[in-house]
Amino acid sequence: MMPREDLAAAFRENTAPRLSFASGEALSTLTNTELALIDIESRVEEIAATLPSAAKDTLTDLRTEVALLESKAKQLETKGVDDVYTGDLSSGKQVAKDIKKDMLGRLEALFARFEVIFAVIKSRMSEDSYSCPSTGYDGSTTAGRAAAYAKNTNARMSMASEESLGKLGQTNKELQTIELRVEAISSGLRTASKEELASFKTELALLESKAKQLEGSGIDDIYTGDLQSGKQAAKDSKKDMLKRLETLFGRIDDTFANLKSRLESRPRAESME
């Protein structure tokens, strides 16, 4: 299998003549982020492997380095992943979305890994004995953060978190409205007249356009990298709506196909009457 860092570069090389300038720029940014993320992941694992036998006088330096690596990872999340918009892309949209999704998942696991390593260093610095934990990512730590947030939703949030969650809440309402209307149109196709079908076609195109606008301005443009109190809730909300949008676009395509079929069959039915 091709190494992870070569995937985006290979895609750009093989499809370069077909990529728009915006897609090329987005994939170039994501490729650079990918390489930086690989460096951080590799160094974090190197540090984790040395902890069982590390001299105690080196632990302070290791803790400082891990803190710097964590800071770099947070910067990458904000400027290198979250700030790469995919809503307006065409030729490279899907591959850019896939790369972003992959890196956000790896960053989430990496932040959980940082927590484990910090805990191990603290234990090594305060105790004479040390038992090496599993070297795998501790996903339960991330889940614990989400659970803690859910349990304390009444806790005061920062202004940035409140603003981001407020925008995502508004996007969610608009998305629900579009989803419901698309379903209503889909259900009404079977009994619709020729005039109604034409009207549905126009409305469906407008709904698709609104959905694409929501994806670009309402989800992709909401940064979560700098958030604290509402970070996990915002990330979960974005992930949920992006998944629903993917389903919605598929539903719209199916409805357009059914609508076209109905419009083509309608004249034949009317000529037989």
Side-chain angles (χ1 to χ4, degrees), residues 85-273:
Y85 301 155
T86 61
D88 293 336
L89 303 183
S90 296
S91 52
K93 181 173 184 176
Q94 190 57 53
V95 72
K97 289 175 68 175
D98 290 343
I99 293 172
K100 284 186 66 174
K101 182 178 179 180
D102 172 69
M103 284 196 286
L104 287 172
R106 286 161 57 198
L107 280 164
E108 186 174 1
L110 182 60
F111 292 136
R113 185 63 165 149
F114 282 127
E115 293 183 8
V116 173
I117 292 175
F118 277 127
V120 170
I121 292 175
K122 181 178 180 181
S123 176
R124 288 275 347 252
M125 295 177 74
S126 61
E127 300 176 5
D128 291 331
S129 61
Y130 168 71
S131 176
C132 180
S134 169
T135 58
Y137 288 120
D138 185 2
S140 62
T141 306
T142 303
R145 280 205 308 270
Y149 176 85
K151 184 177 180 181
N152 298 285
T153 49
N154 292 326
R156 182 181 296 276
M157 287 190 294
S158 66
M159 183 178 296
S161 291
E162 289 183 352
E163 183 178 354
S164 294
L165 289 171
K167 289 179 179 178
L168 289 169
Q170 182 59 38
T171 300
N172 183 57
K173 290 180 181 178
E174 293 180 38
L175 178 55
Q176 286 177 335
T177 300
I178 295 173
E179 288 171 327
L180 290 172
R181 185 54 190 157
V182 168
E183 288 305 312
I185 291 175
S186 180
S187 299
L189 292 183
R190 181 171 297 181
T191 58
S193 64
K194 183 179 180 180
E195 290 74 19
E196 288 174 327
L197 290 173
S199 178
F200 282 159
K201 183 178 180 180
T202 300
E203 185 179 0
L204 195 61
L206 290 173
L207 290 170
E208 184 179 37
S209 176
K210 287 182 179 180
K212 289 180 178 179
Q213 290 174 9
L214 278 184
E215 184 177 28
S217 299
I219 301 178
D220 277 346
D221 64 340
I222 303 296
Y223 301 154
T224 61
D226 290 337
L227 303 183
Q228 297 295 330
S229 52
K231 181 173 184 175
Q232 190 59 48
K235 289 175 71 175
D236 290 344
S237 179
K238 287 184 65 173
K239 182 178 180 180
D240 170 70
M241 286 192 284
L242 287 172
K243 184 176 181 180
R244 285 161 55 196
L245 275 167
E246 187 174 354
T247 301
L248 178 63
F249 290 136
R251 183 63 166 156
I252 289 174
D253 286 343
D254 290 342
T255 305
F256 268 127
N258 291 337
L259 197 153
K260 181 180 179 181
S261 176
R262 289 284 300 163
L263 282 170
E264 290 175 348
S265 63
R266 195 77 189 180
R268 290 197 298 269
E270 290 177 351
S271 65
M272 295 175 63
E273 292 177 355

Side-chain angles (χ1 to χ4, degrees), residues 17-35:
R18 293 169 294 177
L19 282 179
S20 66
F21 177 79
S23 292
E25 285 289 297
L27 289 172
S28 177
T29 299
L30 290 171
T31 299
N32 291 333
T33 302
E34 174 85 14
L35 295 173

